[in-house]
Amino acid sequence: MAIPLQQENEELKQRLRTFGVIMHLVRDSFGKKDIVSLGVHIVNNSRILLQFDRSVLLEMRHDRASVVAEYAVSAVNAHTEYASDMRKFAEQIVKLLPEDSSCTVVEKGGELYKRLEEKIPRVMENLFAEMRVLAVVPLRSPRNPVSVKEPFLWVMEYKGELPKHVNATLSLISGEFGNALWSHLPSSFSSNLTRYLKRITVGKVLLFLLIAFLVALFTVNVEHTVSAEFVVRSRTVHASYAWFDCVVKKCFFNDGDRIRKGEKILEYDTERMKFLLASSIAQKREAEAQYETESKDAFTNREKLGKLKVLKYKRQQADIAIEEAKWYLENSVVKAPADGILALAGGSADALSGRALHLGEKQFDLLSEKDMIAEIMVNERDASILSGTPKIVLFLHTRPEEPIQVEILSSRFYPELTESNIYSYHVKAKMLTDVSRLRYGMRGIARIRGEKVKLGYYLFRGAVLWWRGI
C-alpha cells in the first residue's frame, strides 16, 4: 500500500527537524569553555532527542570514575548515594564494554546485569529498583587513542523499553560529543606519561626522593629563622641609690605607680639627725661662750692666747657638724628626678618602709614611658643568625595577632647569663609599630630571619647540635 504524499512529507519534515537539532547540539558542544559546562550541556539539552528520564556523564580516566554532570542538577554533589552508586557501576561496566560499541543496554535480568550483580549487588539493586533500563554510551575520540580504554561514559536511564530511534541518534552524536570532550584534555603525551608514572614502584620512588634530597642539600636555599624571647624595657632608666646609711620612714608610692617629676617618693627617719643637729648647735654655743670668756682674759694674760686658738678650732668643728646634720636633713626626702613608672627595690612600699639602707644600696628605678625598646635574648647556639642584618618581627604574648616591626639599635658581642640560666646575646631594638598600652616588663616571642643558607647547612647544623646535646 502506497504511503500518502502528505504523510511522507510530514515524516521528512520531522527528520529534518531532528537533524537540525542534532547539528545545533553538536555545534554548541564545541563552543563550551570547559568539561563541566560541556557535560551540563550534554546531559540536559540532549533530552529533547533521546527522551531519557535521567542522565549522568562520568569521567573514566586513570581507572577511576568521577561524576562530571548530572541531569537537572546545577552543581554535582559527589557525596550523595546516587553519585556513589554511579561511580561504582561505571568502574565495573567499562571493563565489559566492547571497543566498537556505541551504546550498550543493561536490563534487569540480562547477562550484563547478572555479571555486575555478582560484584556490586547493592548498587545494582538501587539502580534497578524501579525496573529501569540503563543505556551506557562510551564517548570516545579518534584523535586520542587513550579514549578507547578510558572513555567518558554517558549513562541514560529509561523507565521501560529503550525508544527505537535512540541507537540511530546516538550513532550520529556520540562521536562528536567525544571529540568535544577530549579536546579539553591534555595531549596523548601527557596521558602516556601519566600512565607510565602509575607503573612506578615504591623502590623507584624512594630512589628518586633520595637523589632529589641529596641535590637539594647543596642547591636549595632556605630561610634561616629562629625564635627568641624578648622583654619590653625602658630606654631611659633613672636609678636611685642611698647616699648614706639610713632608715626609711615612709614610702609614698607603691611599685608600678606613675610618678611626676619633683614628687616625694621616700622619706628617711630624721630623729637621730635632729638630735645630732641640736647637739652640734649646743657644742658651738659652748665653744663660743668659752671663746668669749677667754678672749677677755687674754688682754691681761698672754698665756690665754694659745687656748683661744683651740676654742676657735672647736667652734669651726661645731659648724662643720651642724652643716653635716643639715645636709643629712635636706637629703632625707628623695624626690623623683623625672616622670616615669616607679620600680621599688623591695618590691612594695610596705617592704621598703622601716628598712635600713646602707650607703650605695639601690632604692628604686624610675622607668621612662616615652621611649620603650625591646631587649631580645638570642640563644648562644642560634647566634649565627645575627651575622649580617637580620630582620626581626615581635609578637607580644598579650597580643599575638599583632606583628611589631623593629629597628636594631645595638647588639652585645658577648653572651650573658639570663634568668633561665641560658647564655644569650642581648639585642636592643626600637619598635617602629605604634603599640597602644605598652608597659614595661611585657614579654613575647621574636621571629628573627637571617640571610638564606643552604639546606644542608640548615639541617646538619641542627643535627650536630642535637647530637652534642646542646
Side-chain angles (χ1 to χ4, degrees):
M1 182 177 180
I3 301 176
L5 181 60
Q6 184 177 0
Q7 183 180 353
E8 185 178 355
N9 291 338
E10 190 65 30
E11 290 180 359
L12 182 59
K13 290 180 182 179
Q14 187 65 31
R15 290 179 182 180
L16 289 175
R17 290 195 196 98
T18 303
F19 186 73
V21 172
I22 292 174
M23 294 294 292
H24 184 72
L25 289 175
V26 171
R27 183 197 62 188
D28 290 349
S29 65
F30 283 94
K32 303 301 178 181
K33 296 182 179 180
D34 52 45
I35 289 181
V36 175
S37 59
L38 176 55
V40 172
H41 169 72
I42 292 174
V43 300
N44 287 280
N45 297 336
S46 301
R47 190 173 185 272
I48 190 173
L49 287 175
L50 304 175
Q51 300 176 1
F52 48 76
D53 295 303
R54 198 169 188 176
S55 176
V56 178
L57 182 66
L58 301 104
E59 182 181 354
M60 298 303 302
R61 291 191 303 157
H62 314 317
D63 299 331
R64 295 190 62 184
S66 61
V67 179
V68 178
E70 185 178 344
Y71 174 72
V73 176
S74 58
V76 175
N77 185 357
H79 302 289
T80 62
E81 184 180 11
Y82 179 76
S84 177
D85 290 343
M86 270 298 172
R87 287 197 300 271
K88 294 177 182 179
F89 171 78
E91 290 172 359
Q92 295 298 325
I93 192 64
V94 73
K95 302 174 184 178
L96 307 176
L97 294 177
E99 293 186 3
D100 57 347
S101 66
S102 60
C103 178
T104 301
V105 179
V106 182
E107 297 178 333
K108 190 170 184 179
E111 181 181 354
L112 283 178
Y113 179 88
K114 294 178 181 179
R115 295 175 64 180
L116 292 171
E117 191 178 23
E118 295 176 357
K119 298 180 180 180
I120 47 174
R122 186 191 61 81
V123 172
M124 300 303 291
E125 182 179 352
N126 292 341
L127 294 179
F128 290 85
E130 301 178 6
M131 296 297 294
R132 293 190 180 98
V133 174
L134 298 184
V136 182
V137 181
L139 301 180
R140 303 184 177 97
S141 173
R143 304 172 187 173
N144 197 323
V146 181
S147 66
V148 177
K149 295 183 178 180
E150 299 177 353
F152 283 85
L153 286 189
W154 183 14
V155 182
M156 292 170 284
E157 297 184 9
Y158 292 90
K159 293 181 180 178
E161 294 183 358
L162 193 71
K164 296 180 179 180
H165 69 279
V166 169
N167 284 324
T169 305
L170 287 174
S171 63
L172 295 175
I173 63 174
S174 61
E176 298 301 327
F177 282 163
N179 288 331
L181 285 168
W182 284 92
S183 65
H184 290 286
L185 296 179
S187 63
S188 58
F189 173 78
S190 301
S191 302
N192 293 333
L193 179 61
T194 303
R195 290 199 305 275
Y196 171 75
L197 293 177
K198 287 168 57 178
R199 295 193 295 268
I200 291 179
T201 61
V202 176
K204 293 180 181 179
V205 171
L206 294 178
L207 179 60
F208 173 77
L209 292 177
L210 178 60
I211 296 173
F213 175 73
L214 293 176
V215 173
L217 288 178
F218 303 98
T219 58
V220 176
N221 293 325
V222 296
E223 295 285 352
H224 190 191
T225 306
V226 299
S227 298
E229 293 185 351
F230 77 91
V231 60
V232 177
R233 298 195 185 280
S234 178
R235 192 172 183 179
T236 305
V237 179
H238 299 277
S240 176
Y241 300 90
W243 285 16
F244 49 84
D245 293 345
C246 59
V247 177
V248 178
K249 180 180 180 181
K250 185 177 181 182
C251 181
F252 297 94
F253 293 95
N254 290 317
D255 189 71
D257 288 347
R258 286 181 170 82
I259 308 297
R260 297 287 185 182
K261 182 179 180 180
E263 290 183 327
K264 292 195 300 183
I265 299 176
L266 297 178
E267 183 180 0
Y268 301 146
D269 188 354
T270 59
E271 294 300 324
R272 181 172 174 273
M273 294 296 107
K274 290 178 181 178
F275 286 131
L276 290 176
L277 177 61
S279 176
S280 299
I281 292 173
Q283 289 177 4
K284 179 181 179 181
R285 288 175 180 175
E286 181 182 357
E288 286 178 345
Q290 289 180 358
Y291 182 84
E292 184 178 353
T293 302
E294 296 296 334
S295 64
K296 290 178 182 180
D297 295 339
F299 289 103
T300 58
N301 190 353
R302 301 289 295 178
E303 295 179 356
K304 298 290 186 179
L305 292 175
K307 193 173 182 179
L308 284 176
K309 289 183 179 181
V310 175
L311 292 175
K312 182 179 179 181
Y313 290 141
K314 284 187 177 180
R315 189 172 60 180
Q316 290 177 354
Q317 185 178 8
D319 286 337
I320 294 173
I322 290 172
E323 292 298 325
E324 181 184 11
K326 287 182 178 180
W327 180 84
Y328 278 118
L329 290 174
E330 288 175 358
N331 291 277
S332 64
V333 176
V334 182
K335 297 182 179 180
D339 296 344
I341 298 176
L342 182 64
L344 296 173
S348 66
D350 295 336
L352 196 59
S353 298
R355 178 180 170 184
L357 298 177
H358 299 286
L359 175 64
E361 187 174 353
K362 179 177 280 191
Q363 303 174 120
F364 60 84
D365 287 328
L366 202 59
L367 312 173
S368 175
E369 288 186 289
K370 296 182 180 179
D371 194 7
M372 292 289 190
I373 63 172
E375 186 173 341
I376 306 164
M377 288 76 74
V378 181
N379 196 311
E380 188 178 19
R381 67 178 184 179
D382 299 324
S384 62
I385 200 170
L386 297 179
S387 60
T389 307
K391 296 181 180 180
I392 303 176
V393 180
L394 307 181
F395 298 90
L396 287 168
H397 289 317
T398 55
R399 275 165 278 182
E401 77 285 352
E402 182 178 353
I404 304 173
Q405 304 296 330
V406 300
E407 176 186 353
I408 297 177
L409 298 175
S410 64
S411 177
R412 294 184 183 177
F413 292 97
Y414 56 90
E416 297 182 43
L417 193 64
T418 62
E419 300 172 356
S420 305
N421 201 28
I422 297 174
Y423 280 99
S424 301
Y425 289 86
H426 287 204
V427 179
K428 292 184 178 180
K430 178 183 179 182
M431 288 174 280
L432 303 177
T433 306
D434 186 16
V435 183
S436 60
R437 301 188 302 277
L438 191 65
R439 300 190 62 182
Y440 179 90
M442 283 184 167
R443 294 180 178 271
I445 297 296
R447 297 289 295 172
I448 308 173
R449 186 178 64 186
E451 297 178 352
K452 289 187 176 183
V453 296
K454 297 299 181 183
L455 179 62
Y457 167 82
Y458 185 80
L459 293 179
F460 288 109
R461 171 184 167 276
V464 171
L465 292 176
W466 172 80
W467 179 261
R468 294 174 56 190
I470 298 178

